[in-house]
Coordinates of all heavy atoms in Angstrom, one line a residue:
Chain A
A83 N -2.2 23.4 23.4 CA -1.5 22.3 23.8 C -1.7 21.1 22.9 O -0.8 20.5 22.3 CB -1.9 21.9 25.2
L84 N -3.0 20.9 22.6 CA -3.3 19.9 21.7 C -2.8 20.1 20.3 O -2.3 19.2 19.7 CB -4.9 19.7 21.6 CG -5.5 18.5 21.0 CD1 -5.0 17.2 21.6 CD2 -7.0 18.5 20.9
V85 N -3.0 21.2 19.8 CA -2.4 21.6 18.5 C -1.0 21.4 18.4 O -0.4 20.9 17.4 CB -2.9 23.0 18.0 CG1 -2.2 23.4 16.8 CG2 -4.4 23.1 17.8
T86 N -0.3 21.8 19.4 CA 1.1 21.7 19.4 C 1.5 20.3 19.4 O 2.5 20.0 18.6 CB 1.7 22.3 20.7 OG1 1.3 23.7 20.8 CG2 3.2 22.2 20.8
F87 N 0.9 19.4 20.1 CA 1.2 18.0 20.0 C 1.0 17.5 18.6 O 2.0 16.8 18.0 CB 0.4 17.2 20.9 CG 0.5 15.7 20.7 CD1 1.7 15.0 21.1 CD2 -0.5 15.0 20.1 CE1 1.8 13.7 20.8 CE2 -0.4 13.7 19.9 CZ 0.7 13.0 20.3
F88 N -0.1 17.8 18.0 CA -0.3 17.4 16.6 C 0.8 17.9 15.6 O 1.4 17.1 14.9 CB -1.6 17.9 16.1 CG -2.7 16.9 16.3 CD1 -3.7 17.2 17.2 CD2 -2.8 15.8 15.6 CE1 -4.8 16.3 17.4 CE2 -3.9 14.8 15.7 CZ -4.9 15.2 16.7
E89 N 1.1 19.2 15.8 CA 2.0 19.7 14.8 C 3.5 19.2 15.0 O 4.2 18.9 14.0 CB 2.0 21.3 15.0 CG 0.8 21.8 14.2 CD 0.8 23.3 14.2 OE1 1.6 24.0 14.9 OE2 -0.1 23.8 13.5
R90 N 3.8 19.1 16.2 CA 5.2 18.5 16.4 C 5.4 17.1 15.8 O 6.3 16.8 15.2 CB 5.5 18.5 17.9 CG 5.8 19.8 18.5 CD 7.0 19.7 19.3 NE 7.0 20.9 20.2 CZ 7.5 20.9 21.4 NH1 7.9 19.7 22.0 NH2 7.5 22.0 22.2
N91 N 4.4 16.3 16.2 CA 4.5 14.9 15.7 C 4.4 14.8 14.2 O 5.0 14.1 13.5 CB 3.5 14.0 16.4 CG 4.0 13.6 17.8 OD1 3.3 13.8 18.7 ND2 5.2 13.2 17.8
A92 N 3.4 15.5 13.7 CA 3.2 15.5 12.3 C 4.5 15.9 11.5 O 4.8 15.3 10.5 CB 2.0 16.4 11.9
E93 N 5.1 17.0 12.1 CA 6.3 17.4 11.5 C 7.3 16.4 11.4 O 8.0 16.1 10.4 CB 6.8 18.7 12.2 CG 8.1 19.2 11.6 CD 8.0 20.7 11.5 OE1 7.4 21.4 12.4 OE2 8.6 21.2 10.5
R94 N 7.5 15.7 12.5 CA 8.5 14.6 12.5 C 8.2 13.5 11.4 O 9.0 13.0 10.7 CB 8.5 13.9 13.9 CG 9.2 14.6 14.9 CD 9.2 13.8 16.2 NE 9.3 14.7 17.3 CZ 10.4 15.4 17.7 NH1 11.4 15.3 17.0 NH2 10.3 16.2 18.8
Q95 N 6.9 13.2 11.5 CA 6.4 12.1 10.5 C 6.5 12.5 9.1 O 6.8 11.8 8.2 CB 5.0 11.6 10.9 CG 5.0 10.9 12.2 CD 3.6 10.4 12.5 OE1 3.0 9.8 11.7 NE2 3.1 10.5 13.8
A96 N 6.2 13.8 8.8 CA 6.3 14.3 7.5 C 7.7 14.2 7.0 O 8.0 13.9 5.8 CB 5.8 15.8 7.4
R97 N 8.6 14.5 7.9 CA 10.1 14.5 7.5 C 10.6 13.0 7.4 O 11.6 12.7 6.7 CB 10.9 15.2 8.6 CG 11.3 16.6 8.2 CD 12.6 17.0 8.9 NE 12.2 17.2 10.3 CZ 11.9 18.4 10.9 NH1 11.8 19.4 10.0 NH2 11.7 18.5 12.2
D98 N 10.0 12.1 8.1 CA 10.6 10.8 8.2 C 9.5 9.7 8.0 O 8.7 9.3 8.8 CB 11.1 10.6 9.7 CG 11.9 9.3 9.7 OD1 11.7 8.3 9.0 OD2 12.8 9.2 10.7
R99 N 9.5 9.3 6.7 CA 8.5 8.3 6.2 C 8.6 7.0 7.0 O 7.6 6.4 7.3 CB 8.8 8.1 4.7 CG 7.7 7.2 4.2 CD 7.8 7.4 2.7 NE 7.1 6.3 1.9 CZ 7.0 6.3 0.6 NH1 7.6 7.2 -0.1 NH2 6.4 5.3 0.1
G100 N 9.8 6.6 7.4 CA 10.0 5.4 8.2 C 9.3 5.6 9.6 O 8.7 4.6 10.0
L101 N 9.4 6.7 10.1 CA 8.8 6.9 11.4 C 7.3 6.7 11.3 O 6.6 6.1 12.1 CB 9.1 8.2 12.0 CG 8.5 8.6 13.3 CD1 8.9 7.7 14.4 CD2 8.9 10.0 13.7
Y102 N 6.7 7.3 10.3 CA 5.2 7.2 10.0 C 4.9 5.7 9.9 O 3.9 5.3 10.5 CB 4.9 8.0 8.8 CG 3.4 7.7 8.4 CD1 2.4 8.3 9.1 CD2 3.1 6.9 7.3 CE1 1.1 8.1 8.8 CE2 1.8 6.6 7.0 CZ 0.8 7.2 7.8 OH -0.5 6.9 7.4
E103 N 5.7 5.1 9.1 CA 5.3 3.6 8.8 C 5.4 2.9 10.1 O 4.6 1.9 10.4 CB 6.2 3.0 7.7 CG 5.9 3.5 6.4 CD 6.8 3.0 5.3 OE1 7.6 2.1 5.6 OE2 6.8 3.5 4.2
A104 N 6.4 3.2 10.9 CA 6.6 2.4 12.2 C 5.5 2.6 13.1 O 5.0 1.7 13.8 CB 7.9 2.9 12.9
L105 N 4.9 3.9 13.1 CA 3.8 4.2 14.0 C 2.5 3.6 13.6 O 1.7 3.2 14.4 CB 3.7 5.7 14.2 CG 4.9 6.3 15.1 CD1 4.8 7.8 15.0 CD2 5.0 5.7 16.4
T106 N 2.3 3.6 12.3 CA 1.0 3.1 11.7 C 1.1 1.7 11.3 O 0.3 0.9 11.8 CB 0.6 4.0 10.5 OG1 1.6 3.9 9.6 CG2 0.3 5.4 10.9
G107 N 2.1 1.4 10.6 CA 2.2 0.0 10.0 C 2.0 -1.1 11.0 O 1.0 -1.9 10.8
R108 N 2.8 -1.2 11.9 CA 2.6 -2.4 12.9 C 3.2 -1.9 14.2 O 4.3 -1.5 14.3 CB 3.4 -3.6 12.4 CG 4.8 -3.4 12.4 CD 5.5 -3.8 11.1 NE 6.7 -3.0 10.9 CZ 7.4 -3.0 9.8 NH1 7.0 -3.7 8.8 NH2 8.5 -2.3 9.7
G109 N 2.3 -2.0 15.2 CA 2.7 -1.6 16.6 C 3.2 -2.7 17.4 O 3.2 -2.7 18.6
D110 N 3.4 -3.8 16.8 CA 3.6 -5.1 17.5 C 5.1 -5.3 18.0 O 5.4 -6.2 18.7 CB 3.2 -6.3 16.7 CG 3.6 -6.2 15.3 OD1 4.7 -5.6 15.1 OD2 2.9 -6.7 14.4
D111 N 5.9 -4.3 17.5 CA 7.3 -4.4 18.1 C 7.3 -4.2 19.5 O 6.5 -3.4 20.1 CB 8.2 -3.3 17.5 CG 8.5 -3.6 16.0 OD1 8.6 -4.8 15.6 OD2 8.4 -2.6 15.2
E112 N 8.2 -4.8 20.2 CA 8.2 -4.7 21.7 C 8.5 -3.3 22.1 O 8.1 -2.7 23.0 CB 9.2 -5.7 22.4 CG 10.4 -6.0 21.6 CD 11.5 -5.0 21.9 OE1 11.6 -4.5 23.1 OE2 12.3 -4.7 21.0
T113 N 9.4 -2.6 21.3 CA 9.8 -1.2 21.6 C 8.5 -0.4 21.6 O 8.2 0.3 22.6 CB 10.7 -0.7 20.4 OG1 11.6 -1.6 20.1 CG2 11.3 0.6 20.8
Q114 N 7.7 -0.5 20.6 CA 6.4 0.2 20.5 C 5.6 -0.1 21.7 O 5.1 0.8 22.4 CB 5.7 -0.3 19.2 CG 5.3 0.9 18.3 CD 6.5 1.1 17.4 OE1 7.6 1.4 17.9 NE2 6.3 1.1 16.1
A115 N 5.3 -1.4 21.9 CA 4.4 -1.8 22.9 C 4.8 -1.3 24.3 O 4.0 -1.1 25.1 CB 4.4 -3.4 23.0
R116 N 6.1 -1.0 24.5 CA 6.5 -0.4 25.7 C 6.2 1.0 25.9 O 5.8 1.5 27.0 CB 8.1 -0.6 25.9 CG 8.6 -0.8 27.3 CD 10.1 -0.8 27.3 NE 10.6 0.5 26.8 CZ 11.4 0.6 25.7 NH1 11.8 -0.5 25.1 NH2 11.9 1.8 25.4
I117 N 6.2 1.7 24.8 CA 6.0 3.2 24.9 C 4.5 3.6 24.7 O 4.1 4.6 25.3 CB 6.9 3.8 23.8 CG1 8.3 3.4 24.0 CG2 6.8 5.4 24.0 CD1 9.3 4.1 23.0
W118 N 3.8 2.9 23.9 CA 2.5 3.3 23.6 C 1.6 3.6 24.8 O 1.0 4.6 24.8 CB 1.8 2.2 22.7 CG 1.8 2.5 21.3 CD1 2.9 2.8 20.6 CD2 0.8 2.5 20.4 NE1 2.6 3.1 19.3 CE2 1.3 2.9 19.2 CE3 -0.6 2.3 20.6 CZ2 0.5 3.1 18.0 CZ3 -1.4 2.4 19.4 CH2 -0.9 2.8 18.2
P119 N 1.6 2.7 25.8 CA 0.7 3.0 27.0 C 0.9 4.4 27.5 O 0.0 5.2 27.8 CB 1.1 2.0 28.0 CG 1.6 0.8 27.1 CD 2.3 1.5 26.0
S120 N 2.2 4.8 27.6 CA 2.5 6.1 28.1 C 2.0 7.3 27.2 O 1.5 8.2 27.6 CB 4.1 6.2 28.2 OG 4.5 7.5 27.9
I121 N 2.2 7.0 25.9 CA 1.7 8.0 24.9 C 0.2 8.1 25.0 O -0.4 9.2 25.1 CB 2.1 7.6 23.5 CG1 3.5 7.6 23.3 CG2 1.4 8.5 22.5 CD1 4.0 7.3 21.9
I122 N -0.5 6.9 25.1 CA -1.9 6.9 25.1 C -2.5 7.7 26.4 O -3.3 8.5 26.3 CB -2.5 5.5 25.1 CG1 -2.2 4.9 23.8 CG2 -4.0 5.5 25.5 CD1 -2.6 3.4 23.7
E123 N -1.8 7.5 27.4 CA -2.2 8.1 28.7 C -2.1 9.6 28.5 O -3.0 10.4 28.8 CB -1.4 7.6 29.8 CG -1.9 8.0 31.2 CD -1.0 7.7 32.3 OE1 0.1 7.0 32.0 OE2 -1.2 8.0 33.5

Side-chain angles (χ1 to χ4, degrees):
Chain A
L84 190 60
V85 171
T86 301
F87 170 70
F88 267 109
E89 283 182 349
R90 286 228 196 142
N91 280 127
E93 179 132 37
R94 284 185 209 287
Q95 292 183 42
R97 257 205 290 269
D98 190 337
R99 187 162 162 180
L101 180 59
Y102 172 75
E103 287 176 12
L105 291 173
T106 55
R108 67 231 153 188
D110 45 32
D111 289 325
E112 39 82 36
T113 317
Q114 238 83 307
R116 209 185 62 241
I117 307 182
W118 264 51
S120 143
I121 295 181
I122 290 175
E123 192 188 355

